[in-house]
Amino acid sequence: MDGTISPNRVGEMIDDRPDENIFRVDRNIYLDKDIFDAELRTIFEADWVFLCHESQVKNPGDYFAAHLGRQPVFVHRQEDGSLKGFLNACSHRAAIITPLQRGNAKTLTCRFHGWTYKCDGACIRVKDEETGYGPDFDRSVFDLTQIGAIGSYRGFVFGSLKADVAPLEEFLGESRAFIDFVADQSAAGLEVLPGAQKYVIGGNWKMSTENAVDGYHTSTVHRIFASTVKQREAREGYEGMMKTETGRLSKKNVRNGCYDLGQGHMVIWAERDPLSTSPLSEAEERLERDHPAGKVDWMLRRGRNLIVFPSLMINDFAATQIRTFRPISADETEVTIYCLAPSDESREARYARLRKFEDFFMASGMATSDDVVALEATHDGSRGRVARWGEFHRGQGTMEHGPDEFAKAGGFNPETSNSSWDHETLYYSFYRRWRDRISGS
């Protein structure tokens, strides 16, 4: 068994007829436990998946624990500055080896039986070795198990349980341009700010990835957020970067769009309105000096939500954030969010960035809770199996193959472009890649 699902069965669940302007998915893909198991085996445990940002493992000995599918893993910064990835399981009886999700340790000692490992994974101590195993015991047989592949692009660290994966840059494809738009905001580099938030959504992980690049819901789901901050900011004390950029939520004339970047990656964007609310606006002069005008427009003047297949979101609207969607079951998704920032931004920009992050993106804020309710309602509604299909054909009439003028100016080459973030054509390569992975095509 290779963990795949019959191509015929998968083919019946994605109704992809471009010549007839039809693209829809069987809602059972969000519910079926066999489908979920196949996703874990053929996607999350067989291809590149985001693990952490390099600023989270900055110094020798720094480690960060994560998951590849169901399997616990961790990234460890080596003495020579390189990165290694290991299964997060003691070679003796499989106890989790890292004491915390994130920390620093030149050696790791299992809390169960006391076996000890160096930073490079070498087993260097077995408790009571001589009395338990005899003089011919070879500790090196029990070195920690390395994952198949680990790589970093512009500070974003990915891993794979399997070694025979495409080179990371090839996997990322056109999404690299949008990672560059974030990474190039500061020559001093980016850093994940202290703290994180985790919460669980009672819904399938694919719905969360869909929602991350769904501009169509914003004026409905987030209308209370927009009206609340408008009233709040009518009071004194909310000027410049402290104001909330609400143009994309409340105005019909703010230019926006979406791209299917190919290989399952997708992005939505909207012009910042007003630009002065962005913490990055303080760097406008430097960015214009250091980068081409077309790139600066994308870095500074357009907010963006990027999905890197299958489950990484890089959001650069009000505040820059990393968000991951970890599949727990067909019916549950663990979401983790981190705030990302230029390491050299001013105190004022940092303060504004954190307040915006709290406002919108944290589960205790004024917007994410609305998304959670909408996603859980959609997941529950998918159980209405008499109505089989979820429709994804909105915007087919304005879809362009290849880059539009804005993509050309930004130097990237999407599979398709569309003139509104309300449109759904960006999902097509996501579900085509999903189909191909779980069917083994």
Side-chain angles (χ1 to χ4, degrees):
M1 294 287 292
D2 61 2
T4 61
I5 299 290
S6 160
N8 288 338
R9 182 184 174 197
V10 175
E12 292 173 355
M13 302 182 95
I14 305 294
D15 189 5
D16 181 6
R17 290 177 280 165
D19 292 341
E20 301 174 52
N21 293 328
I22 291 174
F23 196 100
R24 53 187 186 170
V25 303
D26 189 323
R27 294 171 182 168
N28 203 38
I29 69 170
Y30 307 116
L31 308 170
D32 189 289
K33 291 179 173 56
D34 290 337
I35 291 290
F36 179 79
D37 287 341
E39 291 171 340
L40 292 179
R41 289 190 297 266
T42 64
I43 298 174
F44 289 91
E45 297 177 357
D47 210 343
W48 291 108
V49 173
F50 175 76
L51 296 176
C52 66
H53 190 265
E54 285 207 43
S55 64
Q56 296 172 299
V57 285
K58 186 176 181 179
N59 301 309
D62 284 354
Y63 65 82
F64 191 91
H67 284 82
L68 291 173
R70 289 161 289 205
Q71 303 198 38
V73 300
F74 70 99
V75 178
H76 213 158
R77 178 73 70 176
Q78 301 298 295
E79 293 288 345
D80 65 1
S82 64
L83 294 173
K84 286 190 175 182
F86 302 95
L87 288 185
N88 198 353
C90 179
S91 299
H92 176 222
R93 296 270 288 279
I96 294 293
I97 201 72
T98 58
L100 302 167
Q101 182 183 19
R102 181 184 178 188
N104 181 281
K106 300 299 175 64
T107 61
L108 290 167
T109 299
C110 176
R111 72 195 79 188
F112 193 12
H113 294 111
W115 288 33
T116 302
Y117 303 88
K118 285 180 64 178
C119 186
D120 63 2
C123 181
I124 58 172
R125 179 181 177 272
V126 172
K127 188 178 71 174
D128 301 331
E129 178 180 324
E130 292 183 2
T131 58
Y133 296 98
D136 297 326
F137 180 70
D138 181 6
R139 286 196 305 269
S140 68
V141 175
F142 295 96
D143 292 348
L144 292 177
T145 300
Q146 292 194 50
I147 62 175
I150 188 167
S152 178
Y153 181 77
R154 304 304 306 276
F156 292 82
V157 181
F158 295 78
S160 170
L161 290 177
K162 292 191 174 181
D164 57 339
V165 288
L168 179 58
E169 290 199 13
E170 180 181 322
F171 165 83
L172 292 172
E174 295 301 313
S175 73
R176 288 176 298 166
F178 287 87
I179 296 175
D180 293 344
F181 295 152
V182 174
D184 286 333
Q185 290 176 9
S186 169
L190 304 179
E191 59 183 347
V192 171
L193 303 186
Q197 191 167 74
K198 291 181 186 288
Y199 54 93
V200 174
I201 297 176
N204 189 268
W205 70 273
K206 295 185 294 298
M207 289 184 175
S208 289
T209 61
E210 290 172 13
N211 182 67
V213 287
D214 179 334
Y216 194 31
H217 79 280
T218 56
S219 60
T220 305
V221 174
H222 301 310
R223 67 189 186 282
I224 301 301
F225 171 81
S227 63
T228 300
V229 297
K230 183 178 180 179
Q231 294 178 46
R232 181 185 68 184
E233 292 172 4
R235 304 195 299 266
E236 294 182 3
Y238 289 92
E239 301 297 335
M241 288 186 285
M242 288 304 299
K243 292 181 73 68
T244 301
E245 182 209 336
T246 57
R248 68 185 188 279
L249 302 177
S250 58
K251 295 181 180 178
K252 296 294 186 181
N253 61 346
V254 172
R255 191 160 48 189
N256 55 62
C258 65
Y259 296 107
D260 181 343
L261 298 174
Q263 299 176 247
H265 315 310
M266 46 190 176
V267 68
I268 59 172
W269 63 272
E271 300 282 4
R272 297 194 191 280
D273 181 32
L275 173 61
S276 59
T277 62
S278 170
L280 189 62
S281 62
E282 67 174 9
E284 183 173 10
E285 183 178 336
R286 172 178 57 80
L287 293 174
E288 289 180 336
R289 182 181 66 244
D290 294 345
H291 300 282
K295 184 173 183 179
V296 174
D297 285 341
W298 278 105
M299 295 168 67
L300 176 65
R301 299 186 178 94
R302 297 185 186 116
R304 307 162 307 281
N305 265 14
L306 169 70
I307 285 289
V308 176
F309 186 88
S311 58
L312 167 64
M313 182 183 85
I314 303 174
N315 175 303
D316 192 23
F317 272 104
T320 313
Q321 64 154 312
I322 296 170
R323 186 180 301 195
T324 60
F325 307 111
R326 178 189 166 209
I328 303 298
S329 70
D331 301 325
E332 284 189 319
T333 302
E334 180 187 80
V335 182
T336 306
I337 55 173
Y338 306 96
C339 190
L340 186 67
S343 59
D344 60 349
E345 70 181 350
S346 70
R347 180 182 178 87
E348 292 74 18
R350 179 65 53 88
Y351 183 84
R353 182 183 299 275
L354 288 171
R355 300 296 79 78
K356 294 168 189 289
F357 183 74
E358 293 167 348
D359 254 5
F360 196 98
F361 299 117
M362 292 179 66
S364 54
M366 294 186 288
T368 292
S369 55
D370 294 330
D371 283 318
V372 171
V373 170
L375 288 169
E376 291 183 344
T378 304
H379 186 82
D380 287 345
S382 295
R383 301 185 193 280
R385 298 294 299 131
V386 175
R388 177 181 178 184
W389 298 105
E391 302 289 345
F392 288 83
H393 61 266
R394 180 178 172 84
Q396 287 191 347
T398 54
M399 182 179 71
E400 299 178 43
H401 289 279
D404 60 14
E405 60 178 308
F406 306 112
K408 291 175 183 176
F412 58 92
N413 186 31
E415 200 163 282
T416 65
S417 308
N418 218 320
S419 57
S420 173
W421 72 350
D422 285 359
H423 293 164
E424 298 165 336
T425 55
L426 76 169
Y427 298 112
Y428 295 174
S429 79
F430 178 89
Y431 276 113
R432 287 165 181 160
R433 184 178 180 93
W434 176 88
R435 174 193 63 199
D436 293 346
R437 293 296 301 179
I438 68 167
S439 65
S441 299

